[in-house]
Amino acid sequence: MAFVSTGRPSLRQGAATAVSKRARVNRIATARCLQGLPFGHYAGLAESGLASGDVFSPQGTKREVIEIQVELPLGIVLAEVSGGIYIAAVKPGGNADITSNGKVKVGDRIVGTSAAFGSATWPSLSLERVLMALKTRYKGEVTLLIERAGLAHDIYEPSVEDAADLAKSAVVLCSNKSESEEQVRNALRSFVELRSAGLSAISTLTFLLQRSAELLKKYSKERGHAVSVNSLYGKLKRAGVPLDNKIYNLFMTAYINTKAPEKAINIFQEIGSPNMECYTSLVKAYRKLNRLDDVQAVKSRMERDRVPLSVMTYNTILSAYAQSGDVENVENLFREISARHLIPDTGSWNNRMNAHFKAHRGRAKLEKVRDVYKAMRLGNVAPNKFTFTILVSACVGCGELDLAENCLEEMADAGVQPDTFIYNKVIEGYADHLRYESALTLLEKMNAGGDVRPNEYTYGQTIRACSAAGHEEIAHSLIDSMRGRGFKPSAQVYVTLLRAYAKRGNIVSSFRVVQEMKDAGFDPDVRTMSALMHACVESEDGALAVSVYSRMVQLRMKPDVVSYTTLIRAYGKRGDTEMALRAFNAMKKERIAPTVTTFNALIELAMHGNQTQLALEALREMNNTPRVTLNRKTYELLCDSSCFENSPKDYVEFLMEVLKVLQESKMYGNGQLYCELLSACSLASDSISAKTVLEHRRTGVFNISGKDKALASKAEERAAVINRNVAKLRSFV
């Protein structure tokens, strides 16, 4: 059998005439012929994408000969079977379809064509003869003599080798997705035509399913193709194309990967006898939807239907439970793998590690993950990149950066190449712990030209590390380096640098960063303006901070809790208590919940202005505000003795009032307040108050942390000098 398209022939290619008469030689020659044809000249073949042997050689049937004139390129596909030349496909909308008014049909036999020259016709004795005639007539009309049988029989049944050769040759002319879709579309039309004519379509079906499988794999790799997958499935089902488990599974996979797992579940319901791969895909679909009960139901159904569970199936089920941190089910399933005489692979161990990673917190997380990893290595199971990703993430989460670095060394020893994500995770840890030099070293290593390259996030975290460590200029230079390597800094990167400058009160550099943001196409937002206000406050320029706030309002930006808190601090720098309280009330009117930082700003304003009653009122409201808890900064502000330099007794009374406000809300005093109270009593020689404070500690009114215990002992020693009774009471504390 030979198979070619009769689009416009090429004058340069001689491969089209190299078709032998015997079947096996025909197959090889066909592949060479198709691979050598120019795409533009043989548009019929390229656009139909068909590799069909489903033509017939009628014997003893009534025949009708029709003469048709068709313009080149013809837009038909020819096949040679047992010496006869037949039409295997007609391109919809092509010249053969249009100029013949649909008279040219699949299954027609070509018995004659226009001669190579003149107006005569030649009999179609072979495909080589037909091609020779068409090759010389590269433009104009061609006369086709078509013989149509009354009944089709003696169908040519291609072997697997035939289909493979023809499919391979067709692939050469299909290089992108749109061509693949066109091939599937036209193959589907040919399949429908052949089935409607009562002809076999085995080879066309093979080609159609192969092309559909390739198309589904492409859809699976790209997001946003759920509609395309749905369209292809609908067309195949409407055309009555028989689908096997492999195609069904590819459809399920495509739906899962294109974020439509519900449709994958619906596909499964249509499968007559699903195999293990289809069940595994069903588990993946339920896992995507976090329907763990259904995952267990699928496993039970497989056991009931005696469908064997492979390690891959177990891994998919393990993954579903691991994602939810269900350690108990993961451990049970892991033991079940071995009980079924299967060997857990790297994926099985990784899911076990991930379950503990999700389920535990703090040190327990790291210890459990490392225990599983050690057992994995003792079992001679090779770790992979995901194994080390879990390990590094656990180490970084606990602040064990030295262990994270050891994991990178273990990766090298195991022959596993770290990726950008793992390096970024380590740099995150460096940024959290102000190890900017380590972050810079790792960034330089990634830039050294190895297999792992930095990305925008790498630079962003390194900039954060430098900014948090107080090295803003290094962070600023990294932004320039980032641009030089073709990366565009994000708005968050600029804001991170801006906040670092603002923290140091560097107004000039802060405004420069804002201008760079604008030049990069980022308009200032609330975060930007709040950071600018913060820079002004830290530079003791409250008036400029208020001016920035006014500009923010003019730009119709809605202030947030940070903006209002910074505004209160700005008014505090100016000593304007009235405006600070107005800002606080406006904040509450806008239903923006104040934070501990907001209340600290009010307390700071009150203490600096010798308004102790205002400080106590702020403390009282703070205690009554949900989800707001005093921090060490709060106690530090309340224990500011600068406004009581000439009246230590008043200072003792104030601190006792603070303790009373805390007791009203059933809160404890901390070590800072305890030490400051005893010191104030010593200065005021107030033995009665000192005795009361010591009694409060004995009854549990104070909650003194480990870091304050040494200071508390020294304060008690000083207070003991005041009175023998105080010293005696101290011995019981």
Side-chain angles (χ1 to χ4, degrees):
M1 174 191 133
F3 181 85
V4 297
S5 165
T6 57
R8 178 180 296 178
S10 169
L11 297 176
R12 296 172 295 169
Q13 303 293 331
T17 59
V19 182
S20 63
K21 297 180 181 180
R22 305 309 302 167
R24 175 59 186 156
V25 179
N26 279 338
R27 288 196 299 272
I28 298 173
T30 300
R32 292 172 182 167
C33 175
L34 295 178
Q35 294 174 22
L37 296 180
F39 182 86
H41 286 240
Y42 281 80
L45 175 62
E47 295 182 46
S48 69
L50 296 174
S52 172
D54 304 312
V55 293
F56 62 96
S57 177
Q59 297 176 355
T61 59
K62 182 180 179 180
R63 299 169 183 178
E64 174 187 5
V65 178
I66 305 172
E67 181 178 321
I68 300 175
Q69 281 73 40
V70 183
E71 292 185 2
L72 291 169
L74 302 181
I76 60 176
V77 178
L78 301 179
E80 182 177 18
V81 181
S82 302
I85 313 302
Y86 297 90
I87 296 177
V90 180
K91 176 191 171 185
N95 287 336
D97 185 29
I98 296 175
T99 59
S100 71
N101 294 321
K103 293 180 181 178
V104 177
K105 299 182 180 297
V106 174
D108 289 345
R109 180 179 182 180
I110 305 296
V111 296
T113 62
S114 298
F117 52 85
S119 58
T121 57
W122 282 354
S124 300
L125 302 178
S126 66
L127 184 60
E128 181 180 0
R129 186 78 174 267
V130 173
L131 291 175
M132 183 182 296
L134 296 179
K135 187 175 181 179
T136 57
R137 291 181 173 270
Y138 57 91
K139 62 181 179 179
E141 287 188 341
V142 170
T143 298
L144 299 178
L145 298 179
I146 293 175
E147 179 183 80
R148 182 163 300 154
L151 180 65
H153 57 84
D154 288 343
I155 306 301
Y156 171 72
E157 298 290 353
S159 65
V160 175
E161 190 177 13
D162 291 329
D165 284 343
L166 295 173
K168 180 180 178 182
S169 58
V171 167
V172 177
L173 298 177
C174 174
S175 59
N176 58 50
K177 183 180 68 176
S178 61
E179 291 169 7
S180 297
E181 291 174 332
E182 185 70 14
Q183 285 191 332
V184 170
R185 205 159 30 237
N186 288 310
L188 188 58
R189 289 195 187 101
S190 180
F191 175 82
V192 172
E193 289 177 3
L194 290 167
R195 293 291 292 269
S196 298
L199 306 176
S200 172
I202 295 176
S203 183
T204 299
L205 175 62
T206 301
F207 180 81
L208 173 61
L209 294 180
Q210 181 189 41
R211 281 292 178 269
S212 297
E214 292 172 0
L215 199 55
L216 285 170
K217 291 176 182 177
K218 289 182 179 180
Y219 288 155
S220 294
K221 295 177 182 178
E222 303 173 13
R223 295 182 178 180
H225 274 296
V227 174
S228 300
V229 177
N230 203 47
S231 174
L232 177 60
Y233 185 74
K235 289 176 182 177
L236 294 179
K237 294 297 287 186
R238 286 193 296 273
V241 177
L243 306 181
D244 56 16
N245 278 334
K246 177 182 178 181
I247 295 296
Y248 274 124
N249 188 50
L250 284 172
F251 269 110
M252 292 179 70
T253 302
Y255 275 130
I256 292 169
N257 291 344
T258 55
K259 297 185 177 181
E262 300 91 346
K263 293 185 179 293
I265 296 170
N266 294 337
I267 291 285
F268 183 85
Q269 307 304 325
E270 300 183 22
I271 305 175
S273 299
N275 59 10
M276 179 183 64
E277 287 76 16
C278 294
Y279 274 109
T280 303
S281 294
L282 181 62
V283 172
K284 290 179 181 178
Y286 284 129
R287 183 190 66 188
K288 287 284 186 181
L289 297 171
N290 199 30
R291 291 164 56 174
L292 299 183
D293 290 341
D294 290 313
V295 168
Q296 183 60 41
V298 173
K299 178 177 177 292
S300 300
R301 177 176 170 181
M302 292 180 72
E303 293 169 342
R304 184 177 64 251
D305 295 345
R306 297 184 179 180
V307 177
L309 278 77
S310 67
V311 174
M312 180 181 295
T313 309
Y314 270 109
N315 287 349
T316 306
I317 301 172
L318 282 169
S319 176
Y321 286 113
Q323 285 298 322
S324 63
D326 190 342
V327 174
E328 182 179 356
N329 270 315
V330 167
E331 292 291 354
N332 290 337
L333 285 166
F334 191 86
R335 287 190 291 269
E336 189 176 311
I337 295 175
S338 300
R340 289 180 179 267
H341 306 292
L342 299 172
I343 301 175
D345 61 9
T346 303
S348 312
W349 285 96
N350 285 347
N351 282 316
R352 190 181 175 193
M353 287 177 63
N354 197 34
H356 287 285
F357 182 87
K358 299 283 187 182
H360 300 287
R361 296 289 180 271
R363 296 292 307 179
K365 173 187 294 190
L366 179 58
E367 291 170 2
K368 292 292 185 180
V369 167
R370 284 178 61 81
D371 287 345
V372 176
Y373 173 70
K374 290 175 183 177
M376 176 182 182
R377 298 309 301 267
L378 288 173
N380 294 320
V381 179
N384 61 12
K385 194 177 298 182
F386 186 61
T387 311
F388 288 107
T389 299
I390 299 172
L391 268 174
V392 169
S393 298
C395 293
V396 171
C398 292
E400 295 288 350
L401 300 182
D402 292 337
L403 285 178
E405 292 169 349
N406 291 340
C407 288
L408 295 181
E409 295 177 3
E410 288 187 44
M411 288 186 76
D413 294 340
V416 179
Q417 176 65 45
D419 60 8
T420 303
F421 180 86
I422 292 179
Y423 278 135
N424 286 350
K425 202 69 185 175
V426 176
I427 292 177
E428 270 185 41
Y430 290 146
D432 291 339
H433 293 81
L434 309 184
R435 289 177 53 176
Y436 77 99
E437 291 179 329
S438 299
L440 287 170
T441 300
L442 195 51
L443 176 63
E444 290 173 4
K445 180 179 179 180
M446 296 174 74
N447 276 326
D451 295 330
V452 184
R453 310 293 294 174
N455 56 18
E456 289 91 342
Y457 189 76
T458 314
Y459 275 98
Q461 289 301 304
T462 309
I463 289 169
R464 182 170 75 88
C466 295
S467 299
H471 294 277
E472 304 86 25
E473 295 302 328
I474 297 177
H476 210 151
S477 66
L478 283 174
I479 291 182
D480 296 332
S481 175
M482 189 177 181
R483 290 198 204 95
R485 292 185 177 273
F487 297 120
K488 181 180 179 181
S490 65
Q492 183 58 46
V493 168
Y494 285 109
V495 171
T496 299
L497 179 60
L498 174 59
R499 286 173 176 167
Y501 280 128
K503 186 177 181 180
R504 289 183 175 272
N506 191 334
I507 296 178
V508 174
S509 295
S510 296
F511 277 91
R512 183 177 54 158
V513 172
V514 173
Q515 185 58 50
E516 290 181 15
M517 286 184 68
K518 294 175 69 176
D519 294 341
F522 299 111
D523 291 329
D525 58 6
V526 174
R527 294 180 305 166
T528 310
M529 302 300 278
S530 297
L532 277 179
M533 291 174 64
H534 183 59
C536 299
V537 169
E538 291 300 322
S539 67
E540 302 295 331
D541 195 339
L544 184 56
V546 174
S547 177
V548 173
Y549 177 82
S550 299
R551 180 57 179 163
M552 182 171 65
V553 174
Q554 289 175 2
L555 294 174
R556 300 182 182 278
M557 297 180 188
K558 187 176 181 180
D560 59 7
V561 63
V562 177
S563 310
Y564 275 116
T565 301
T566 310
L567 182 62
I568 292 171
R569 292 190 63 209
Y571 284 127
K573 294 295 182 182
R574 297 172 58 182
D576 195 338
T577 305
E578 181 181 354
M579 292 303 296
L581 291 176
R582 282 190 182 183
F584 181 70
N585 291 328
M587 178 182 182
K588 292 193 294 183
K589 187 176 181 180
E590 292 290 332
R591 295 187 177 181
I592 298 175
T595 64
V596 62
T597 307
T598 311
F599 285 108
N600 285 349
L602 283 174
I603 293 173
E604 182 180 16
L605 166 66
M607 295 300 291
H608 286 177
N610 295 327
Q611 302 179 68
T612 55
Q613 287 303 312
L614 176 60
L616 292 172
E617 289 175 13
L619 177 62
R620 187 172 282 108
E621 184 169 348
M622 183 181 187
N623 291 338
N624 294 327
T625 302
R627 295 184 294 277
V628 176
T629 304
L630 284 73
N631 57 18
R632 291 187 69 85
K633 180 66 174 177
T634 311
Y635 286 108
E636 179 185 328
L637 292 169
L638 290 169
C639 295
D640 182 5
S641 61
S642 59
C643 56
F644 298 99
E645 291 180 355
N646 300 322
S647 53
K649 288 188 177 181
D650 291 341
Y651 186 36
V652 172
E653 290 180 6
F654 171 73
L655 293 179
M656 293 298 285
E657 282 293 323
V658 169
L659 186 60
K660 182 179 178 181
V661 171
L662 293 176
Q663 287 180 295
E664 289 173 0
S665 303
K666 297 181 180 180
M667 298 183 67
Y668 298 101
N670 77 337
Q672 292 167 284
L673 180 60
Y674 177 73
C675 294
E676 195 67 21
L677 260 171
L678 285 180
S679 298
C681 291
S682 299
L683 288 173
S685 299
D686 188 347
S687 60
I688 297 175
S689 296
K691 183 179 178 181
T692 302
V693 172
L694 288 168
E695 182 68 26
H696 280 326
R697 183 184 180 186
R698 190 177 67 84
T699 56
V701 173
F702 290 97
N703 185 9
I704 300 176
S705 64
K707 65 172 63 176
D708 292 326
K709 284 184 178 180
L711 293 174
S713 295
K714 291 181 180 180
E716 289 167 357
E717 289 175 3
R718 289 193 298 270
V721 178
I722 304 172
N723 187 294
R724 186 178 298 177
N725 292 330
V726 173
K728 185 177 180 181
L729 181 60
R730 178 176 177 268
S731 65
F732 293 100
V733 175

